Amino acid sequence: MTNKIKVYKKDYDYSYTSGAYATIELLNTKPEIVEAVYIHSAYQDKAALERRCADCSVPYVYDDKCFLQVNQKENSFVIGVFRKYDSSLSAERPHIVLVNPSDMGNLGTIIRTAAALSYRDLAIIAPAADVWHPKTIRASMGALFRINFKCYDSFEAYRAEFQEHELYPFMLGCGRFLSFESCPQTHLFSLIFGNEATGLHPRFQTVGTAMEIRQSGAVDSFNLTAAAAIAAYTFALKNKL
Amino acid sequence: MTNKIKVYKKDYDYSYTSGAYATIELLNTKPEIVEAVYIHSAYQDKAALERRCADCSVPYVYDDKCFLQVNQKENSFVIGVFRKYDSSLSAERPHIVLVNPSDMGNLGTIIRTAAALSYRDLAIIAPAADVWHPKTIRASMGALFRINFKCYDSFEAYRAEFQEHELYPFMLGCGRFLSFESCPQTHLFSLIFGNEATGLHPRFQTVGTAMEIRQSGAVDSFNLTAAAAIAAYTFALKNKL
């Protein structure tokens, strides 16, 4: 293997993990999609990683130069190149729905939080940050490979596929405050969150049951990742996810 | 005013907000510490900002060049230069305690979340990300100016000052899981969180009552900002903050 890795672009049919942790997660969960693992000569734990690659029948390459090309200040010593794959959501489990998330770090962090809270299904409504981008994968700590996710062109396209889920858009000013008591008991629900800067469009007020997290007057809003964590946690506990 | 703004360094006795939102928060909350507001000629809402500055007796300057110097890819059009100030924590309110947080974005996001949840007091145990750094302030959306915060050289130094707070370190593997039922009822508590990569040192097991947030096997841990949001939210609701 002496293929050069090119700096990731959205229209490629492959992407890569950056960093040992996400790469090992990739090998542990989806070895069949991995094309190659690139290891920097300065990486500390070479023997274990080589063994893991061999166990998965994945070729590994030592090539310090390729890290210069693709490492945008990330300082990682391991890269795992993989083919993108199709994934679809379960009709029988709760969903997280992100409408137009714009920040890759936020998207990855929410994937990590969702996976930690036993959610396994994420819908992303375009336009949105690229779920396949190495930055998103890195922020997810590789949890992307452990969940189902699917991008939709519109919320309506998502809804057409899943008509049974109870919908809970999170919107400031709706007046229905989330608490442990008020949290709905339901086995099939979708928690819906809007864009970082603009939130959800007012039309979501009539899409299901709008809820909000009570906040002090000291801030304009919660950070998206914090709001998603709080809501996903409360629904998960209440509904024994 | 034609002072040049230098790229921020930790040992300066001043810092600056980057972006209109944080700068307006600064003017709203701490006008007396503001030295000057710099406005880029491309900023949209000049008249309102000029008026706000005048109301606060704060000089404003149009100087596009200074944005080239200090804007590290942040693309902001407003900068507020201010003098750092002393702040101390209330002995009568709950605290968030961050032990060695290393990422400025995380620190700022936690400040924003804490303020949203009506916490007003944050202790930071060094070594830690710089709470005064423009990146931290930007991630906090200016909420830094609405809370009390103090840096301590050690957890012991913090504890010596506040001996009455019940201590709740958040640590994986302690086996005491946070839920709405298990969440302690107490009016004076400190929620303690460790470093992003290493968590809290095991000695915190015997510092107060260790707790953890239940997580699936899909991830190694929660992101620090998600863990802090979930814990702070649960304690705030339970104790009617």
Side-chain angles (χ1 to χ4, degrees), chain A:
Chain A
M1 287 286 302
T2 53
N3 293 347
K4 287 271 172 286
I5 308 177
K6 290 182 196 157
V7 174
Y8 175 79
K9 284 185 185 163
K10 192 169 180 174
D11 60 348
Y12 291 171
D13 58 1
Y14 67 88
S15 181
Y16 48 85
T17 53
S18 170
Y21 191 90
T23 304
I24 291 166
E25 276 292 284
L26 170 65
L27 290 169
N28 287 345
T29 52
K30 297 256 187 300
E32 69 281 4
I33 63 166
V34 188
E35 296 276 333
V37 169
Y38 289 76
I39 310 175
H40 193 281
S41 60
Y43 180 61
Q44 293 292 318
D45 204 8
K46 294 186 185 75
L49 183 56
E50 289 181 10
R51 209 162 42 237
R52 193 78 198 85
C53 288
D55 288 348
C56 300
S57 305
V58 166
Y60 56 87
V61 189
Y62 284 90
D63 180 355
D64 289 3
K65 273 190 200 158
C66 82
F67 285 84
L68 291 176
Q69 280 186 294
V70 301
N71 257 359
Q72 294 135 330
K73 78 174 183 172
E74 290 198 345
N75 212 24
S76 82
F77 292 132
V78 179
I79 288 172
V81 179
F82 66 90
R83 295 182 302 281
K84 294 178 181 177
Y85 52 94
D86 285 325
S87 171
S88 58
L89 312 191
S90 163
E92 277 137 42
R93 293 188 50 89
H95 298 164
I96 307 276
V97 182
L98 300 179
V99 181
N100 312 143
S102 70
D103 182 273
M104 295 184 282
N106 285 345
L107 179 54
T109 299
I110 292 172
I111 289 168
R112 179 176 171 192
T113 302
L117 292 170
S118 299
Y119 293 84
R120 295 188 211 147
D121 299 273
L122 172 71
I124 301 165
I125 313 300
D130 182 3
V131 70
W132 293 112
H133 195 287
K135 274 191 196 167
T136 308
I137 298 170
R138 194 177 169 99
S140 86
M141 295 290 277
L144 180 70
F145 305 116
R146 297 202 178 252
I147 65 162
N148 306 315
F149 54 93
K150 190 168 172 182
C151 298
Y152 294 86
D153 286 336
S154 67
F155 181 75
E156 289 64 33
Y158 161 76
R159 185 54 166 168
E161 192 173 331
F162 300 100
Q163 300 177 18
E164 304 298 320
H165 282 64
E166 293 178 25
L167 303 178
Y168 297 99
F170 276 79
M171 311 182 68
L172 284 181
C174 72
R176 190 178 290 104
F177 293 101
L178 181 69
S179 72
F180 206 72
E181 293 79 17
S182 73
C183 181
Q185 257 180 314
T186 159
H187 74 290
L188 203 59
F189 59 86
S190 302
L191 306 181
I192 308 167
F193 305 93
N195 171 266
E196 289 88 344
T198 57
L200 286 171
H201 188 277
R203 73 186 170 84
F204 278 90
Q205 289 271 11
T206 56
V207 168
T209 308
M211 302 199 76
E212 65 180 305
I213 300 164
R214 193 181 296 276
Q215 65 184 46
S216 77
V219 298
D220 198 47
S221 67
F222 279 94
N223 165 279
L224 176 60
T225 62
I230 288 169
Y233 170 76
T234 305
F235 270 76
L237 269 195
K238 182 82 172 226
N239 296 294
K240 302 188 177 15
L241 219 65

Side-chain angles (χ1 to χ4, degrees), chain B residues 2-241:
Chain B
T2 53
N3 293 347
K4 286 271 171 286
I5 309 177
K6 290 183 196 157
V7 174
Y8 175 78
K9 284 186 184 162
K10 191 169 181 175
D11 60 348
Y12 291 171
D13 57 2
Y14 67 88
S15 181
Y16 48 85
T17 53
S18 168
Y21 190 91
T23 304
I24 291 166
E25 276 293 285
L26 170 66
L27 290 169
N28 286 344
T29 51
K30 297 256 186 303
E32 69 282 3
I33 63 167
V34 187
E35 296 275 333
V37 169
Y38 288 77
I39 310 175
H40 193 282
S41 59
Y43 180 61
Q44 293 292 321
D45 204 9
K46 294 187 185 75
L49 184 56
E50 289 181 9
R51 207 161 46 238
R52 193 77 198 86
C53 287
D55 288 348
C56 300
S57 305
V58 165
Y60 56 87
V61 190
Y62 284 90
D63 180 356
D64 290 3
K65 272 190 201 160
C66 84
F67 286 82
L68 292 175
Q69 280 186 295
V70 302
N71 257 359
Q72 295 135 333
K73 77 171 183 174
E74 291 197 346
N75 212 24
S76 83
F77 292 132
V78 180
I79 288 172
V81 179
F82 66 89
R83 295 182 302 281
K84 295 179 181 176
Y85 53 93
D86 285 326
S87 172
S88 58
L89 312 191
S90 162
E92 277 137 42
R93 292 189 52 90
H95 299 165
I96 307 276
V97 182
L98 300 180
V99 180
N100 312 143
S102 69
D103 182 272
M104 295 184 283
N106 285 344
L107 179 55
T109 300
I110 291 172
I111 289 168
R112 179 176 170 192
T113 302
L117 292 169
S118 300
Y119 292 84
R120 293 189 211 147
D121 299 272
L122 172 71
I124 301 164
I125 313 299
D130 183 3
V131 71
W132 293 113
H133 195 288
K135 275 191 193 165
T136 307
I137 298 169
R138 192 174 170 101
S140 86
M141 296 290 277
L144 179 70
F145 304 117
R146 297 203 178 250
I147 65 163
N148 306 315
F149 54 92
K150 190 167 171 183
C151 298
Y152 294 87
D153 286 336
S154 67
F155 181 77
E156 288 64 33
Y158 161 75
R159 185 56 168 166
E161 192 172 331
F162 301 100
Q163 299 176 20
E164 303 299 320
H165 282 64
E166 292 178 27
L167 304 178
Y168 296 99
F170 276 78
M171 311 180 68
L172 284 181
C174 72
R176 190 178 290 104
F177 293 101
L178 181 69
S179 72
F180 206 73
E181 293 79 15
S182 73
C183 182
Q185 258 182 311
T186 160
H187 74 289
L188 203 59
F189 58 87
S190 302
L191 305 182
I192 309 167
F193 304 94
N195 171 266
E196 289 89 344
T198 58
L200 287 170
H201 187 278
R203 72 186 171 84
F204 278 89
Q205 288 273 10
T206 56
V207 168
T209 308
M211 302 199 78
E212 66 180 305
I213 300 163
R214 194 181 295 276
Q215 65 184 46
S216 77
V219 298
D220 198 47
S221 67
F222 279 94
N223 166 278
L224 176 60
T225 61
I230 288 169
Y233 169 76
T234 307
F235 271 76
L237 270 196
K238 182 81 172 227
N239 296 294
K240 303 185 176 15
L241 219 65

